[in-house]
């Protein structure tokens, strides 16, 4: 029997490693168990996000955007780029170096904060004991006063499109294409499908996205999602709504996709097919039958508002529990749990968790959208400001999209900020900061924003809520 810990964390993704570091900072004897192995055959911390998710996908998104901009956007600036080419292996090598930098950074942070790093598969047993199985099958038992389950999630597989080694891939495989496919199919028009489809479309692939739902980006504000659909279509992405994939057939390294839509049964062939229909909790073999922790048929662990499970002293965070599968949500849950274990009264505001799609233009939002508020019967005032009227965006030749601010018609309190356009993620975060402190649209409108900046679009949208926008015609005046 090994030493007993104050906290044992299972999983070293954005929820787990952050929880472990914060617990150690609070003076708790902490260990973190992680089984993920990187390309070099060694343990790699950081979970899906750092290894095969958030970070590598953003590296490819940025590389592909720079190529696209150089190819199609530099001429307007008077810059000639004759003979432009893209070295895909070099692009992937850069991506891998970034991943290694950040996963290595987590290892260094563990060491600096005194977190014990344990390699292997962690399984919760009864009595808050954790069984760790290493790569050779050897098991050890760790005792803990508190256990945090942060096992993350994995891509959802679908029967009509079983994964193959190189032709039909999930989000991980889509980060490793060694050449640009001539024709690329993507199943799923969510965040992952749109981001990965964007990468390869910019590099020259013909991209078709199949979305089973009739509505595009249903979680986003309708005005924003309509603008996004128009923009992506203009960029050359074929987005087929109401298209349900029914089967796939691979012959001579080509995959034929069978699907049904409003026109009936159809088929299209591709060089590569990405399955991006979402993710599910990775909770297989995480809990012993007598652990006492409850979860549903989908593998979602039941927790309360503070991420406590049905077993005292056992918590769960991130993709394994209810709520959006977002790295930043997982991290803040990890911090909250660590601090509550240490006796603090920390809570998390789930109403203000920002969402971002890192396409170009970016799409981001925080709070509620207009259709949600209408359904709830809330009377609202709305302010919209287009980037086409923003000097900084126009100067940068990046003036597509808009900022939308929604406020309660009675109190003027901001209830939602929605953006499609340059720096959308950063602008929405400005809105989130204000909303956390109960800002009104008038408050935002009274602040001084530096000029020229894209942030002025948020300022003008807030002014427009009450008919006071300066650089765009107002819907109403007061």
């Amino acid at each position: 029997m090994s030493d007993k810990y104050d906290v044992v964390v299972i999983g070293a993704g954005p929820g787990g490693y952050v929880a472990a570091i914060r617990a150690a900072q609070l003076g708790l004897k902490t260990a973190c168990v992680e089984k993920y192995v990187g390309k070099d055959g060694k343990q790699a911390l950081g979970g899906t996000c750092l290894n095969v998710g958030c970070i590598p996908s953003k590296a490819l998104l940025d590389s592909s955007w720079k190529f696209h901009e150089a190819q199609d956007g530099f001429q307007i600036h008077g810059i000639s780029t004759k003979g432009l080419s893209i070295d895909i292996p070099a692009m992937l090598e850069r991506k891998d170096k970034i991943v290694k930098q950040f996963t290595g950074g987590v290892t260094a942070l563990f060491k600096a904060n005194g977190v014990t790093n344990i390699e292997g598969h962690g399984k919760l047993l009864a009595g808050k004991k954790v069984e760790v199985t290493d790569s050779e099958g050897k098991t050890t038992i760790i005792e803990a006063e508190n256990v945090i389950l942060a096992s993350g999630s994995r891509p959802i597989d679908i029967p009509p499109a079983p994964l193959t080694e190189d032709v039909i891939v999930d989000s991980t495989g889509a980060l490793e294409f060694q050449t640009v496919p001539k024709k690329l199919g993507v199943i799923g028009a969510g965040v992952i499908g749109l981001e990965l489809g964007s990468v390869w479309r910019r590099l020259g692939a013909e991209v078709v996205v199949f979305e089973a739902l009739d509505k595009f980006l249903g979680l986003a504000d309708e005005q924003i999602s309509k603008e996004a659909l128009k923009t992506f279509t203009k960029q050359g992405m074929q987005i087929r709504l109401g298209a349900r994939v029914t089967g796939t057939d691979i012959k001579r390294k080509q995959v034929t996709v069978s699907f049904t839509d409003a026109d009936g049964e159809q088929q299209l062939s591709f060089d590569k097919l990405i399955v991006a229909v979402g993710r599910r909790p990775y909770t297989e073999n995480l809990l012993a039958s007598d652990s006492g922790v409850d979860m549903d048929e989908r593998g979602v662990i039941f927790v309360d508002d503070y991420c406590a499970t049905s077993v005292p002293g056992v918590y769960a965070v991130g993709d394994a529990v209810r709520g959006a599968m977002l790295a930043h949500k997982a991290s803040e849950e990890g911090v909250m749990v660590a601090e509550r274990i240490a006796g603090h009264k920390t809570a998390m505001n789930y109403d203000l968790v920002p969402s971002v799609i890192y396409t170009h233009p970016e799409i981001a939002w925080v709070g509620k959208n207009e259709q949600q508020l209408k359904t709830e019967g809330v009377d609202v005032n709305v302010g919209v400001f287009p980037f086409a009227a923003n000097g900084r965006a126009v100067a940068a030749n990046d003036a597509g999209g808009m900022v939308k601010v929604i406020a309660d018609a009675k109190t003027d309190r901001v209830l939602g900020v929605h953006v499609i356009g340059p720096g959308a993620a950063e602008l929405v975060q400005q809105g989130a900061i204000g909303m956390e402190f109960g800002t009104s649209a008038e408050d935002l409108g009274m602040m001084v924003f530096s000029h020229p900046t894209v942030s002025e679009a948020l300022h003008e949208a807030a002014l427009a809520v009450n008919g006071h926008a300066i650089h765009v015609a107002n819907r109403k005046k007061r």
Side-chain angles (χ1 to χ4, degrees):
M1 195 73 70
S2 61
D3 292 339
K4 188 170 185 177
Y5 291 89
D6 296 317
V7 179
V8 172
V9 182
I10 300 178
Y17 86 75
V18 169
I21 290 172
R22 185 63 185 131
Q25 289 175 345
L26 291 164
L28 301 169
K29 185 179 179 181
T30 305
C32 186
V33 182
E34 176 56 65
K35 70 175 182 177
Y36 189 87
V37 176
K39 289 184 177 181
D40 58 3
K42 299 178 181 179
Q43 183 200 44
L45 304 178
T48 293
C49 181
L50 265 64
N51 287 281
V52 291
C54 321
I55 301 304
S57 64
K58 302 313 163 285
L60 295 189
L61 280 161
D62 280 355
S63 293
S64 64
W65 177 254
K66 289 182 186 299
F67 174 76
H68 169 76
E69 194 174 25
Q71 187 176 52
D72 300 320
F74 280 6
Q75 188 174 358
I76 196 171
H77 296 285
I79 303 171
S80 176
T81 55
K82 293 181 180 179
L84 190 70
S85 63
I86 180 75
D87 184 337
I88 299 299
M91 181 182 75
L92 297 180
E93 183 180 1
R94 171 183 177 269
K95 177 258 297 180
D96 290 340
K97 285 181 178 178
I98 292 171
V99 168
K100 192 169 185 180
Q101 173 186 341
F102 280 92
T103 56
V106 176
T107 301
L109 287 169
F110 272 10
K111 186 175 181 180
N113 287 280
V115 176
T116 300
N117 178 21
I118 301 175
E119 184 175 353
H121 173 83
K123 182 177 183 179
L124 179 67
L125 308 179
K128 290 182 290 189
K129 292 181 175 65
V130 175
E131 178 187 81
V132 180
T133 305
D134 65 18
S135 58
E136 297 178 352
K138 181 182 177 181
T139 63
T140 56
I141 305 295
I142 305 171
E143 289 189 87
E145 287 291 336
N146 300 276
V147 177
I148 302 174
L149 305 171
S151 54
S153 63
R154 65 193 309 172
I156 293 174
D157 299 327
I158 56 173
L163 304 184
T164 64
E165 185 176 346
D166 189 44
V167 179
I168 304 177
V169 301
D170 58 16
S171 56
T172 300
L175 299 172
E176 301 296 336
F177 292 157
Q178 298 299 308
T179 59
V180 179
K182 290 183 179 179
K183 296 189 69 175
L184 171 66
V186 180
I187 304 177
V191 176
I192 297 171
L194 292 173
E195 289 185 358
L196 293 174
S198 292
V199 168
W200 299 105
R201 173 68 195 106
R202 294 168 189 169
L203 298 177
E206 179 184 335
V207 177
V208 178
V209 180
F210 300 96
E211 173 52 59
L213 299 177
D214 293 321
K215 181 177 287 188
F216 182 65
L217 288 181
L219 292 177
D221 185 90
E222 285 183 358
Q223 188 174 2
I224 300 296
S225 62
K226 287 178 181 178
E227 179 70 15
L229 181 59
K230 182 175 68 175
T231 300
F232 295 144
T233 301
K234 187 177 180 180
Q235 291 175 356
M237 290 179 68
Q238 301 177 45
I239 299 174
R240 294 174 175 254
L241 300 178
R244 184 176 297 277
V245 173
T246 56
T248 52
D249 182 41
I250 299 175
K251 290 181 179 177
R252 295 185 293 275
K253 290 194 174 183
Q254 288 267 316
V255 54
T256 299
V257 177
S258 299
F259 64 99
T260 60
D261 61 11
D263 296 324
E265 297 181 4
Q266 299 192 62
Q267 291 186 333
L268 287 173
S269 295
F270 303 95
D271 301 298
K272 306 283 186 184
L273 179 66
I274 302 172
V275 180
V277 295
R279 301 181 65 85
R280 61 184 178 86
Y282 189 22
T283 47
E284 293 89 345
N285 200 31
L286 176 67
L287 306 173
S289 58
D290 60 350
S291 68
V293 173
D294 297 324
M295 62 181 178
D296 67 17
E297 66 281 358
R298 299 170 299 158
V300 178
I301 299 171
F302 291 119
V303 293
D304 64 14
D305 290 343
Y306 306 105
C307 290
T309 70
S310 49
V311 177
V314 178
Y315 304 82
V317 302
D319 290 1
V321 304
R322 77 285 180 270
M325 290 186 174
L326 298 169
H328 45 282
K329 175 253 194 187
S331 293
E332 294 307 315
E333 286 179 332
V335 170
M336 174 180 69
V337 168
E339 294 189 350
R340 292 187 72 84
I341 289 172
H344 299 186
K345 300 298 182 182
T346 313
M348 182 171 164
N349 185 356
Y350 284 97
D351 292 332
L352 294 180
V353 178
S355 295
V356 185
I357 304 174
Y358 294 92
T359 48
H360 198 104
E362 287 182 347
I363 304 167
W365 64 89
V366 67
K368 295 185 177 181
N369 58 47
E370 193 171 357
Q371 60 264 29
Q372 285 176 311
L373 292 165
K374 285 183 178 178
T375 299
E376 294 173 7
V378 180
D379 188 18
V380 299
N381 290 327
V382 177
V384 177
F385 190 83
F387 283 105
N390 177 267
R392 187 69 185 90
V394 172
N397 193 38
D398 197 7
M402 70 190 80
V403 178
K404 181 174 184 175
V405 175
I406 306 172
D408 188 294
K410 296 178 181 178
T411 66
D412 198 42
R413 182 169 182 168
V414 175
L415 303 176
V417 175
H418 307 264
V419 184
I420 176 171
E426 312 301 335
L427 294 183
V428 158
Q429 196 61 52
Q430 291 181 22
I433 293 170
M435 291 169 70
E436 188 66 54
F437 290 95
T439 189
S440 65
E442 183 182 33
D443 290 334
L444 291 178
M446 292 176 67
M447 293 179 185
V448 179
F449 283 65
S450 52
H451 174 78
T453 62
V454 293
S455 294
E456 289 178 287
L458 174 61
H459 186 224
E460 289 276 1
L463 287 168
V465 167
N466 293 306
H468 300 159
I470 302 299
H471 296 95
V472 70
N474 291 285
R475 292 183 179 179
K476 61 181 180 179
K477 296 181 179 180
R478 287 186 178 178

